[in-house]
Amino acid sequence: MFLATGITDTTPVIPRLREAIAAGVIRLCPVCDGYEAIDQKIAVVGHDVRALKEAIFLSRFTPLITMLGSDASDFSISTRRAASARGIVVGDALDTLCPAADGCEAILKDGTSYRFDAIYLALGCKVRSQLAEAVGARCCKDGYVTVDEHQQSSIHGMYAIGDVVKALNQIAVAFGQAAIAASHAHRELESAERTGFADQPSQ
């Protein structure tokens, strides 16, 4: 069995979210497309360290970075200091995001609005490992399926690949994991067949 149930990104309520993601106005993975944000005005929406890490990563491509949270408690003092030291602006009164064809408007709770070329969401995700858990496979505290070097779970013959496994969430990584899992499963099958033939009584 090969399990590739993936994850579900956590997103706020945004009008026409799918269209905004397709247009590149709302983005989910700076590792995937951060290079497209070169010198653009970018906002990272999220909480504390998670948002800071994404903002720092994106600062390699553009100096125009703002971190946005819905409340002052979203960012600790240490996170604010670290952001300030890198020239990252911190705002903590976000109310609404309104994507358009050429960017996204961020409206604060006091009515002030700012326009960004793109918004990166750093709100985490939910791992879709319910099926793995239901059959008794071991998962880590974050919900990812635990696998060995062959991508095999704690249940013999069940492999997990892609985002349901804790790794870099990239299609290329999932392809590599699939190749590793398939190769090992093939060897296991060949070994089982040889053993089965050896155990058969001679005619």
Side-chain angles (χ1 to χ4, degrees):
M1 177 191 293
F2 293 86
L3 192 68
T5 47
I7 60 172
T8 300
D9 289 294
T10 301
T11 58
V13 176
I14 300 175
R16 303 179 302 281
L17 176 61
R18 288 182 178 273
E19 292 89 337
I21 291 175
V25 175
I26 301 294
R27 298 171 179 247
L28 299 166
C29 180
V31 175
C32 297
D33 50 34
Y35 67 92
E36 296 179 358
I38 293 175
D39 293 334
Q40 290 188 347
K41 190 175 182 180
I42 301 297
V44 176
V45 175
H47 306 114
D48 211 45
V49 176
R50 183 189 297 273
L52 178 63
K53 287 181 177 179
E54 291 208 8
I56 290 174
F57 182 86
L58 285 162
S59 68
R60 302 172 185 175
F61 304 106
T62 176
L64 307 174
I65 304 286
T66 299
M67 288 165 48
L68 294 175
S70 59
D71 190 81
S73 61
D74 285 344
F75 303 118
S76 65
I77 293 175
S78 60
T79 292
R80 291 172 185 274
R81 287 174 177 168
S84 178
R86 295 173 179 269
I88 298 170
V89 178
V90 178
D92 50 28
L94 177 64
D95 183 64
T96 307
L97 292 173
C98 299
D102 60 346
C104 187
E105 182 182 17
I107 303 174
L108 306 187
K109 292 177 180 178
D110 64 2
T112 305
S113 67
Y114 298 91
R115 183 195 172 281
F116 296 96
D117 295 306
I119 303 285
Y120 277 87
L121 302 180
L123 298 168
C125 64
K126 181 175 177 56
V127 185
R128 300 176 63 183
S129 55
Q130 297 93 328
L131 178 59
E133 293 175 338
V135 297
R138 187 180 301 116
C139 297
C140 73
K141 62 181 179 63
D142 295 322
Y144 294 96
V145 179
T146 303
V147 295
D148 63 14
E149 66 272 20
H150 305 296
Q151 298 299 131
Q152 187 165 216
S153 72
S154 58
I155 296 179
H156 184 75
M158 190 178 89
Y159 300 82
I161 60 178
D163 294 349
V164 75
V165 178
K166 192 166 189 176
L168 185 62
N169 292 352
Q170 297 278 287
I171 293 175
V173 173
F175 274 127
Q177 292 172 337
I180 291 170
S183 297
H184 187 260
H186 181 70
R187 290 194 299 270
E188 289 277 285
L189 182 59
E190 283 187 328
S191 177
E193 289 177 342
R194 286 196 300 269
T195 303
F197 290 145
D199 290 342
Q200 290 180 3
S202 57
Q203 299 296 324

